[in-house]
Amino acid sequence: SEVATMMDVPVTNIISSCMMLGMMVTMNQRLDAETLVIVAEEFNYKVEFIGAEVEESIEEVVDKPEDLISRAPIITVMGHVDHGKTSLLDYIRKANIVDGESGGITQHIGAYSVNVGDEKIAFLDTPGHEAFTAMRARGAQVTDLVIIVAAADDDVMPQTKEAISHAQAAGVPIIFAINKIDKPNANPDNVKTQLSAMNLLIEEWGGSIQSQDISAKTGQGIEELLEKVLLEAEILELKANLNKNAVGTVVEAQLDKGRGYVTTILVQAGTLKIGDYILAGKNSGKVKAMFDDKGRKLNEAGPSTPVSILGLDGAPQAGDKFNVFEDEREAKQIASKRSQLQREQSVRTQKTLTLDEIGRRIALGDFKELNIILKGDVDGSVEALTDSFQKLSTEEIQVNILHKGVGAITESDVLLATASDAIIVGFNVRPQGNARMVADREEVDIRTYSIIYDAINDLKDAMEGMLSPEM
Ligand code: GDP
């Protein structure tokens, strides 16, 4: 009804235009941003968002170039199960403890930071693309570089391919760590050949992607790997302003019996200090104490530093952003407003894209890219569909196959779709395990086909903005 008043049209008109979008709404319901834009358009209005952020008065400091200093890269390690992600993370953490630091006892707080020569590298300690993509789905882009571990005694496996797709979808550079070269049957060239067949050409073979043969068991090649990480990071020119209130992202949070809520955060810019009031997701509180990953007390933490803090009034979610406030009351107010908003929107309106929605928006002329995740029963059909889908690209709409693979539609596919606004196309395969449930929750459109012609036609219709609703 608020929207109706603003546009000076009867509220029933708004309700019926929502119905046209397949949404049954009441007068008092809040509409999400996307719906607002579409509905307003029908009445020839253009929506301008002054943004929840503005309403929440979270200051965005504009950094002056002279305040920017280089910061350490933040790394996520991904790869196929048992290829050595955990071993690599453990090896790096143990081998890079500088003498002066050894007083501290290693604490697993979800992230850690190591010294390499004079420089630092921060690692997210939860290996795998699930955590990476779950964070991204919440809008957090934390990782600067991805190390993909591929065992030299094995082939490039489905999860290796998945990890590659996830990193590429996020636009994050990849460094390959070809692991287990200590094993007698190790054949790193086999892995490299398979990668090059996927158009991933490593430097050594004349391409542009960094790669290093390593053994997470003996430590061979790991120093070189870290040097390559620093080299790649240098190209990215990672910088942050030290002289402002800290901002960053929650890595994990838990309730500790003796200490209350312990939250691991990654400071991404600014400096976090003891006594700061912070707001993280729907929680707030004063930073009472702060520890690094060796359990040592800190008074402040700068960019690219992972720390665990005490003092929040609850456990925020991984991927939630945090901000520092001058005024504790303000932080509290925003936190409670967010909780309230979430309750109101628990019956959430459509956020992600469906094929029908794509068709509608194409008809309105405001659609540029169509992202697809493609799963099929055999390689042949996947390749055939990839080819046909890509050929559907026009000057106005680019069709991107973000990830393709043989096998059932997994939860990880759904997470990737959520994070990248993609639809999932299954050919002779179905959603597996939790995938269907997560897709329903995240409202990801999964289309399954058993006839190639049907799949292509549906997509074509959608792209021509004339798809009839799925029965
Ligand atoms: P993840 O599932 O990718 O985290 O893999 P893990 O780190 O748990 O490693 C799986 C198995 O491979 C474990 O038994 C490790 O001890 C072993 N492993 C990992 N890296 C190496 C390596 O470089 N050489 C050898 N020989 N074994 C390794």
Side-chain angles (χ1 to χ4, degrees):
S1 77
E2 269 176 53
V3 183
T5 314
M6 285 168 90
M7 299 196 298
D8 198 20
V9 295
V11 67
T12 47
N13 290 16
I14 306 279
I15 293 176
S16 53
S17 84
C18 287
M19 271 165 69
M20 306 271 274
L21 294 174
M23 290 168 41
M24 304 299 285
V25 296
T26 65
M27 256 173 67
N28 303 320
Q29 196 162 326
R30 273 173 198 275
L31 302 179
D32 64 296
E34 225 161 77
T35 313
L36 277 173
V37 171
I38 298 169
V39 169
E41 237 165 38
E42 285 186 14
F43 299 92
N44 289 322
Y45 278 89
K46 197 170 175 308
V47 178
E48 196 175 308
F49 291 95
I50 51 173
E53 259 74 17
V54 176
E55 200 186 313
E56 291 181 345
S57 70
I58 297 176
E59 271 180 70
E60 272 275 347
V61 178
V62 182
D63 300 317
K64 285 184 246 140
E66 63 266 29
D67 281 338
L68 293 177
I69 54 150
S70 28
R71 63 167 180 85
I74 300 164
I75 315 293
T76 296
V77 175
M78 309 203 271
H80 195 71
V81 65
D82 280 346
H83 278 198
K85 301 179 291 291
T86 314
S87 307
L88 176 63
L89 278 164
D90 287 348
Y91 187 93
I92 292 173
R93 141 179 243 149
K94 282 201 204 95
N96 289 69
I97 292 177
V98 179
D99 283 349
E101 294 184 330
S102 49
I105 300 162
T106 298
Q107 313 277 320
H108 278 274
I109 64 169
Y112 66 81
S113 136
V114 294
N115 291 299
V116 180
D118 295 335
E119 303 193 66
K120 276 187 193 291
I121 302 177
F123 283 91
L124 291 172
D125 206 358
T126 335
H129 52 258
E130 291 82 1
F132 176 80
T133 305
M135 275 213 192
R136 218 161 69 73
R138 300 183 59 76
Q141 177 83 284
V142 182
T143 305
D144 300 308
L145 288 169
V146 166
I147 294 180
I148 294 182
V149 177
D153 64 345
D154 202 350
D155 289 325
V156 168
M157 298 298 280
Q159 281 175 291
T160 321
K161 289 184 188 164
E162 249 174 52
I164 294 166
S165 302
H166 283 246
Q168 285 176 334
V172 178
I174 294 170
I175 297 176
F176 286 107
I178 316 286
N179 191 30
K180 306 200 186 184
I181 52 162
D182 60 285
K183 290 183 108 173
N185 57 338
N187 184 0
D189 277 359
N190 172 46
V191 177
K192 292 170 195 174
T193 309
Q194 291 182 12
L195 289 176
S196 68
M198 297 166 60
N199 269 332
L200 296 160
L201 206 55
I202 62 169
E203 251 185 3
E204 190 188 332
W205 288 18
S208 59
I209 304 170
Q210 304 261 18
S211 166
Q212 177 64 44
D213 294 355
I214 63 160
S215 164
K217 191 174 169 191
T218 67
Q220 189 187 341
I222 291 183
E223 245 184 78
E224 288 84 349
L225 175 67
L226 297 180
E227 272 155 25
K228 285 183 178 169
V229 166
L230 287 173
L231 202 75
E232 192 72 34
E234 216 177 285
I235 300 168
L236 296 176
E237 294 190 32
L238 306 167
K239 289 192 175 8
N241 182 353
L242 199 68
N243 305 311
K244 64 175 184 184
N245 282 335
V247 291
T249 302
V250 172
V251 175
E252 62 175 52
Q254 60 202 44
L255 183 59
D256 182 298
K257 264 192 195 139
R259 304 195 294 168
Y261 288 98
V262 183
T263 312
T264 297
I265 55 177
L266 193 65
V267 179
Q268 289 174 280
T271 303
L272 184 68
K273 305 183 189 76
I274 298 275
D276 279 348
Y277 295 115
I278 76 167
L279 166 72
K282 296 186 296 298
N283 299 102
S284 69
K286 179 176 174 172
V287 179
K288 288 198 202 120
M290 185 154 55
F291 304 91
D292 69 7
D293 52 285
K294 281 133 206 133
R296 296 171 307 185
K297 272 198 155 168
L298 300 177
N299 288 320
E300 48 179 58
S304 298
T305 316
V307 285
S308 66
I309 59 168
L310 304 183
L312 281 187
D313 62 3
Q317 281 182 278
D320 277 343
K321 296 239 174 312
F322 78 84
N323 292 83
V324 170
F325 280 73
E326 300 302 332
D327 179 5
E328 185 168 24
R329 232 185 20 209
E330 201 186 335
K332 272 208 172 107
Q333 268 171 7
I334 297 177
S336 75
K337 201 152 117 200
R338 284 181 179 172
S339 309
Q340 191 194 341
L341 257 176
Q342 199 197 30
R343 277 195 300 276
E344 280 178 17
Q345 293 194 331
S346 61
V347 195
R348 207 170 47 154
T349 42
Q350 181 175 319
K351 181 185 132 262
T352 21
L353 286 172
T354 61
L355 206 53
D356 300 326
E357 174 56 18
I358 289 166
R360 237 192 62 82
R361 284 212 241 158
I362 287 170
L364 288 170
D366 66 346
F367 210 78
K368 304 281 171 315
E369 279 187 313
L370 174 48
N371 292 334
I372 296 173
I373 292 164
L374 176 61
K375 296 302 278 286
D377 55 343
V378 290
D379 211 39
S381 53
V382 172
E383 289 312 319
L385 274 169
T386 303
D387 207 42
S388 314
F389 282 171
Q390 274 165 346
K391 280 194 188 130
L392 291 175
S393 285
T394 64
E395 271 183 12
E396 287 82 33
I397 310 150
Q398 169 77 33
V399 178
N400 300 323
I401 310 288
L402 285 189
H403 174 62
K404 59 182 177 183
V406 172
I409 297 159
T410 63
E411 196 176 331
S412 160
D413 295 328
V414 177
L415 281 173
L416 180 61
T418 314
S420 319
D421 248 349
I423 58 160
I424 300 176
V425 173
F427 186 77
N428 280 336
V429 292
R430 318 219 118 253
Q432 174 197 58
N434 275 338
R436 170 57 72 190
M437 200 186 71
V438 180
D440 285 346
R441 194 185 66 213
E442 300 291 334
E443 291 171 32
V444 167
D445 196 9
I446 299 181
R447 298 252 162 175
T448 50
Y449 300 92
S450 48
I451 299 168
I452 289 192
Y453 176 81
D454 285 347
I456 297 166
N457 266 359
D458 261 13
L459 209 64
K460 206 152 108 195
D461 287 351
M463 290 178 64
E464 281 163 8
M466 48 186 275
L467 190 80
S468 49
E470 193 180 29
M471 289 302 151

